[in-house]
Amino acid sequence: MTATLRSLVFCDVDETLIRDKSMLGFLRFYFAGRHGGRGTRHAEGTCRRLAGLLSAGADRAEANRAYYEAWKGQQAAEVAQWGVRWLAVRQQEGGFYVERTRAEMLRHRADGAGIVLVSGSFPAVLDPIAADIGAAHLLCSRPEVHEGVFTGRLEDGPVIAEGKRRAVHSLLACYPHIRPADCHAYGDHVSDLPMLTAVGHPTVVGEDPQLLTALPGARVIPVP
């Protein structure tokens, strides 16, 4: 832990820090690149399954668990290597970051705050982004690994909705000198509300009407 941090800044990733839906984008990138046509079919079938769950009323936590079932049998170390490739390709394509959010993270870090990425995605995708942005911590879903292979299950619950609040409180407990009221949080979706209300300075990225209604006094970053 870095006891000299002045505050913590909690930032959702997908459509808050980056423009992508990282989990789906990386799913397609990995399985098509690693397994060819069979992998493409697997990825697209998984995307259809997730869309079906959500349209039928499943919450994001349930869909999150279903997503990780698609990774069963994959070598964790190899998937991590593909995560580094994915970030490099996306950055070369341009338009990867929400530039206003990225600039604010860099400003917070320069002011002595610790950047904390909070996401339902997983380390293979998020570790390269955390390194690129200079994040101090990563709070995310963590797939279970047995003998180097993903089992298709999560070690703990998904870091979604209330899972984000619990993760934020758990990390803050490690920094007793930092008051939650002095911390910032950034999110784009109503599922980020538990995280945003856990700190004193919430920022809404984008225009989710449910989130804006729930946080009428929050600062807003428009996304063109």
Side-chain angles (χ1 to χ4, degrees):
M1 299 297 175
T2 307
T4 56
L5 291 176
R6 296 175 57 184
S7 65
L8 295 174
V9 179
F10 299 93
C11 188
D12 173 57
V13 177
D14 291 6
E15 300 180 298
T16 297
L17 176 61
I18 69 174
R19 293 182 178 273
D20 291 40
K21 292 184 179 292
S22 67
M23 295 167 67
L24 299 183
F26 180 62
L27 179 83
R28 292 184 171 107
F29 179 83
Y30 170 82
F31 278 100
R34 176 66 180 81
H35 298 292
R38 178 169 59 89
T40 297
R41 290 188 293 274
H42 175 72
E44 293 307 322
T46 298
C47 291
R48 287 193 297 272
R49 181 189 176 201
L50 297 176
L53 284 170
L54 292 171
S55 66
D59 62 22
R60 283 195 167 194
E62 182 179 346
N64 191 263
R65 291 189 181 91
Y67 171 84
Y68 290 107
E69 292 173 6
W71 292 93
K72 183 177 180 179
Q74 302 303 307
Q75 295 284 336
E78 186 173 14
V79 174
Q81 292 171 358
W82 278 82
V84 175
R85 295 185 201 176
W86 174 76
L87 177 60
V89 169
R90 282 297 293 113
Q91 287 184 305
Q92 287 176 354
E93 292 172 347
F96 181 67
Y97 285 107
V98 177
E99 287 300 336
R100 174 88 177 269
T101 307
R102 180 178 180 273
E104 296 211 5
M105 293 304 109
L106 297 179
R107 176 180 59 78
H108 283 302
R109 197 181 70 183
D111 289 342
I115 306 305
V116 184
L117 301 187
V118 189
S119 174
S121 192
F122 65 123
V125 178
L126 298 171
D127 278 341
I129 298 172
D132 189 53
I133 206 73
H137 295 284
L138 173 59
L139 306 177
C140 67
S141 300
R142 295 190 178 271
E144 182 182 77
V145 178
H146 179 68
E147 295 183 350
V149 176
F150 289 130
T151 67
R153 298 184 295 271
L154 291 173
E155 290 181 356
D156 298 304
V159 181
I160 299 286
E162 286 297 330
K164 289 192 173 185
R165 190 202 302 272
R166 288 191 293 270
V168 167
H169 284 322
S170 180
L171 183 61
L172 282 167
C174 300
Y175 289 92
H177 69 288
I178 294 178
R179 299 191 313 149
D182 295 330
C183 295
H184 293 253
Y186 292 70
D188 73 291
H189 188 266
V190 70
S191 62
D192 295 319
L193 183 62
M195 174 183 72
L196 294 170
T197 55
V199 301
H201 302 281
T203 296
V204 175
V205 178
E207 299 180 353
D208 181 339
Q210 287 182 278
L211 187 54
L212 291 171
T213 298
L215 287 173
R219 180 167 166 267
V220 178
I221 293 178
V223 178

